[in-house]
Amino acid sequence: MSDTVRTRFAPSPTGFMHIGNLRTGLYAYLFARHNGGKFILRIEDTDRERTVEGAVGMIYRTLKAAGIEYDEGPDRDGGVGPYVQSERADIYKKYAEELVERGGAYYCFCTKERLETIIGENGTHTYDRKCRNIPLEEAKARVAAGEPYVIRQKVPDGVVSSYKDMVYGEISVSSDDIEDGVLLKSDGMPTYNFANVVDDHLMGITHVLRGAEYLSSTPKYNLIYDAFGWERPHYMHLPAIMKDATRKLSKRYGDANFEDFIAKGYLPQAVVNYVALLGWCPKSGDEKMTMDEMIAQFTPDGVSVSSSIFDEQKMKWLNGEYLKAMTEDEFYAVSLPYIEKGVAGGAYDKREIARLMQTRVDVLGEIPEKIAFLGDFGEYDLSMYEHKKMKVDLEVAKKAVEVSISALESLEAWDEEGIRSAISAAAEGAQMKGGQVMFSMRVALTGQPSTPGGAIEMAVVLGKEESMRRLRFSAELLGRN
Ligand code: GLU
């Protein structure tokens, strides 16, 4: 086996890229990079019926957005391609025939109808090995005559196939419990059971990382390596990611699609970081990590055997940490599309809005709703002004709004500092509490019970002209009362 670690990510284009797939690819990437090795992308598209249009493009886009760079793949030749299984049909056929010659497989001519009856008879789905003892010359003659066939694995009798998984430890299966499964289908395409072995061998894969659903099939694959006389790779199977205590995340049910999260306003690096923590804990106990930090710390002993539950709240929190850690410029750049959506053409200072939002959202998609106060402003429910604890009622509010208007009318320095000192001075002059004025002013400026910031922040974001317009409107509304 090659001295250089080689891992691969082998997604099937059967739907979108869910968080579990992404994690498998990520761990394979981290493991390769941690060990100075190579990471390979292989598209497993032999199941034509389940192939979904556009899914391959999604795989490329997701890996790119996630910052997972492959060294070899369909568009990056490393000399062991093609890297798309549907382009490797000749290779599988050649190796299946070679395996027949070596005594590790055989031609099977059983019809679908016959297979259905034996399933009925023995009550299981196990093939009864009827064709296993057809003399090879006879079988070849039937193939040459055009009879439809499949090639099946000839599982040796009475052996125990074992291996040591890097996460789950020793796994053993008795060959008596392994069926002579199909390796090459009648359409000439391989099954996963065969293709994974041939490809991993020919592509020089040293460590196979994949979902735990393959844990107990691996002894069967190992028997194929053995029959070819090939060295087996190391294996690291990864426990499932759960939706809750009993259900797995699954792309069949539309769960947890990477691209959907990005569309909701998650940062790709935050999603990737969160996904890394689903089943892996670095020795340092770090949570927020860059890709390079993850690479430096990724060792198999930190990978847990127990399954983890996907917790969107936790991912949200982590995303918020990423947003807060950005520079103002970085945050402005990523938040701008959401701010534009929220202000819907309004003439506001978008940098001010970004500044206000940076510490107030966990996910960018929350922005439009948070700044909805910038949009429609009109008649609102005056009961919002009632605040017992602060001793604000409609009378107090009316006075407070008038005080704010006269304090701000002639103010030139329309910034936090300027507005704050003008309001405090005016409140004092009118013998009101600063809090009473601020509270009333915030309602008067927004017409909303809760806002993403206090009165001063709202005024800065609204700008002087719009603030004055709103305060006057509110004074009039209160005056009517
Ligand atoms: N194509 C398989 C899947 O998407 C990959 C299994 C493997 O990594 O060997 O589940």
Side-chain angles (χ1 to χ4, degrees), residues 161-165 169-171 214-215 218-219 222 232 235 237:
S161 180
S162 309
Y163 71 103
K164 192 160 185 294
D165 186 81
E170 188 83 7
I171 303 291
Y214 298 101
L215 186 69
T218 295
N222 281 332
R232 302 171 176 183
Y235 296 99
H237 286 92

Side-chain angles (χ1 to χ4, degrees), residues 390-406:
M390 254 192 283
K391 298 204 168 60
V392 178
D393 57 18
L394 292 186
E395 271 314 301
V396 177
K398 189 170 161 235
K399 194 171 155 202
V401 173
E402 275 156 10
V403 166
S404 329
I405 292 174
S406 53

Side-chain angles (χ1 to χ4, degrees), residues 8 10-12 21 42 44 192 196 208-210 213-214:
R8 87 297 192 279
S12 300
N21 296 121
R42 177 171 81 223
E44 301 209 325
Y192 170 78
N196 89 88
V208 170
L209 282 84
R210 64 184 164 208
E213 62 271 30
Y214 298 101

Side-chain angles (χ1 to χ4, degrees), residues 242-314:
M242 311 294 284
K243 185 151 121 167
D244 52 36
T246 54
R247 288 173 303 168
K248 282 207 238 174
L249 277 186
S250 136
K251 64 177 158 187
R252 279 192 210 191
Y253 301 109
D255 297 334
N257 173 11
F258 176 81
E259 289 199 326
D260 286 350
F261 288 124
I262 304 310
K264 277 202 238 172
Y266 282 90
L267 301 168
Q269 61 270 41
V271 176
V272 170
N273 187 162
Y274 176 68
V275 164
L277 299 174
L278 286 169
W280 170 60
C281 179
K283 285 201 191 78
S284 64
D286 289 350
E287 289 199 299
K288 184 164 174 285
M289 286 175 282
T290 62
M291 190 67 102
D292 285 342
E293 287 163 351
M294 292 195 273
I295 290 170
Q297 298 198 49
F298 190 81
T299 51
D301 50 356
V303 176
S304 150
V305 244
S306 47
S307 50
S308 36
I309 292 182
F310 177 74
D311 176 359
E312 193 174 346
Q313 289 310 319
K314 174 100 198 262

Side-chain angles (χ1 to χ4, degrees), residues 76-228:
R76 242 160 272 178
D77 190 19
V80 291
Y83 295 84
V84 177
Q85 285 189 332
S86 59
E87 294 167 22
R88 298 172 63 80
D90 295 348
I91 299 174
Y92 304 121
K93 184 156 186 284
K94 173 177 156 240
Y95 280 95
E97 284 164 358
E98 187 186 319
L99 197 61
V100 171
E101 297 295 332
R102 285 174 168 268
Y106 58 93
Y107 294 101
C108 168
F109 303 95
C110 292
T111 60
K112 221 167 116 197
E113 291 70 31
R114 172 167 195 277
L115 292 175
E116 272 159 20
T117 40
I118 53 165
I119 285 162
E121 271 168 25
N122 63 18
T124 70
H125 289 265
T126 313
Y127 177 58
D128 64 357
R129 298 183 164 183
K130 176 167 187 277
C131 294
R132 184 162 156 131
N133 296 316
I134 299 174
L136 184 54
E137 288 317 308
E138 183 189 325
K140 280 184 180 171
R142 287 170 70 175
V143 168
E147 196 174 331
Y149 68 94
V150 299
I151 292 181
R152 286 183 183 273
Q153 181 173 2
K154 190 185 259 178
V155 176
D157 285 319
V159 300
V160 173
S161 180
S162 309
Y163 71 103
K164 192 160 185 294
D165 186 81
M166 291 164 74
V167 171
Y168 287 84
E170 188 83 7
I171 303 291
S172 296
V173 174
S174 157
S175 67
D176 299 341
D177 295 329
I178 304 176
E179 186 190 23
D180 281 1
V182 174
L183 303 180
L184 200 74
K185 296 183 277 190
S186 55
D187 64 0
M189 277 296 176
T191 55
Y192 170 78
N193 296 342
F194 189 54
N196 89 88
V197 173
V198 172
D199 289 347
D200 286 340
H201 172 73
L202 294 180
M203 294 182 178
I205 303 304
T206 59
H207 295 76
V208 170
L209 282 84
R210 64 184 164 208
E213 62 271 30
Y214 298 101
L215 186 69
S216 58
S217 304
T218 295
K220 169 167 82 185
Y221 309 149
N222 281 332
L223 292 173
I224 303 177
Y225 282 94
D226 298 349
F228 272 117

Side-chain angles (χ1 to χ4, degrees), residues 82 262 277 313 317 323 352 395 398 439 461 478:
I262 304 310
L277 299 174
Q313 289 310 319
W317 164 81
L323 294 178
E352 273 310 332
E395 271 314 301
K398 189 170 161 235
F439 169 77
V461 169
L478 283 158

